[in-house]
Structures are given as structure tokens and as C-alpha cells.
Amino acid sequence: MDSPADNPMDSTAANRPVDARDRDDEGRARNARPRDGLGRPLPYGADGVPRQPEGVVRAPGETVAEAQRLLDAGRPFHAHEVFEDAWKSGPEEERQLWRGMAQLAVGLTHAARGNVTGGARLLRRGAGAVTEWAASDTGRGRPYGMDLGRVAGWARELARDVEDGESVDAGARAPRLRG
């Protein structure tokens, strides 16, 4: 057999779309596999959770509200994508804020997946980024109603808990972004 698609025992290949390259209309690579609530790829043909649309430009308050909704639903991977959209489309002076928030969401994602090292590292990196942004000349302690000090404290506490071996339910451990 020359390729996995030739192997009748490979259910992933059997359910893969005919155009096996997963490209968008512009030809950019896009993974079309369904994903679970924590963003892990599932086999082609499996039921997954709806994907978060990419490249959506939202007002900052809408970004915070949508990310909170996803975090509360136990979908931090999807919340990360919302923050990433803000990071890529927002003003230059806010990029560190949104990148830090995305790192926090990805840290929660990894922690919930059982990745102790990656989860703790990203939680601390995100906490540092939002703390640094809040202390900068362009930063504010409560941008768009977010309590960055409390969010950073949540992230550091969760990082310690993860390193201590505590399992993480993403929805139950989701941060409160606004006070």
C-alpha cells in the first residue's frame, strides 16, 4: 500500500474528504477535522463542537463577552481564538493585552487536557503579559471591564494547582474576566 488512504483499516483516511488537503477558498491550509470542546482534533466524520470562525473583528467589549461565554462553557480553546482575533485586528497598543489573554485561554486548554508543563507555562506567560500591559504607559488596570490583576492571580493559582497534580475541568475553573 502506498498511502494511508489505500489502507481500508484506516478509518481516519476513509472518512477524509476527497480533497485531502484541507484548504480554504484562497488555498491556505486549514484543518477541516472536527474538534472536541478542548480543540483536540477528532477523526473525520466524527461529531465535534462548532468551530469558532476565524478573523472576526469585534468591538473589545464583544470580544470579552464572547470569550467569557466560551470559557464558561468549558471551551477555552475557542476563547483563545476570539482573543487571537482581537490581537490580530486590534490597535498596536493593545496587542500585548490580547496576546496575553489568548495565552491564558490556551494555558487553561492545556491544563484541562492534562498537559501540566505546557499549561502552567502558558498560564504564567499570559499572567505576566497582562500584568506588564496593565503597568505600561498605554495599559489600564481594568480595560473593557476586565480585572487584569484578578485574572493574573487566577492564572498563577491555577498553574500551581496543575503542577501539584490537580485535574482541571475547564468550565469549572474558568476565570471571571470582569469584576
Side-chain angles (χ1 to χ4, degrees), residues 76-165:
F77 177 82
H78 299 83
H80 134 267
E81 292 179 331
V82 170
F83 287 132
E84 190 172 89
D85 286 342
W87 158 21
K88 292 179 178 181
S89 67
E92 181 67 34
E93 64 270 9
E94 291 184 1
R95 290 204 174 149
Q96 181 181 9
L97 166 66
W98 299 119
R99 183 175 51 240
M101 296 302 293
Q103 289 169 333
L104 292 172
V106 171
L108 177 56
T109 300
H110 282 286
R113 290 178 178 175
N115 177 353
V116 172
T117 303
R121 183 175 294 143
L122 281 163
L123 287 162
R124 286 192 178 101
R125 186 180 302 156
V130 299
T131 300
E132 185 178 315
W133 186 85
S136 72
D137 290 338
T138 59
R140 300 180 301 269
R142 293 183 66 92
Y144 312 110
M146 291 187 292
D147 184 341
L148 297 183
R150 191 175 77 197
V151 170
W154 160 85
R156 290 183 180 107
E157 179 182 337
L158 182 57
R160 283 190 301 273
D161 291 348
V162 167
E163 288 174 330
D164 288 342

Side-chain angles (χ1 to χ4, degrees), residues 4 19 36-37 63 75 86 97 102 125 128 157 173 177:
D19 178 12
D36 72 5
T63 293
R75 296 175 58 194
L97 166 66
R125 186 180 302 156
E157 179 182 337
R173 292 299 300 264
L177 302 177

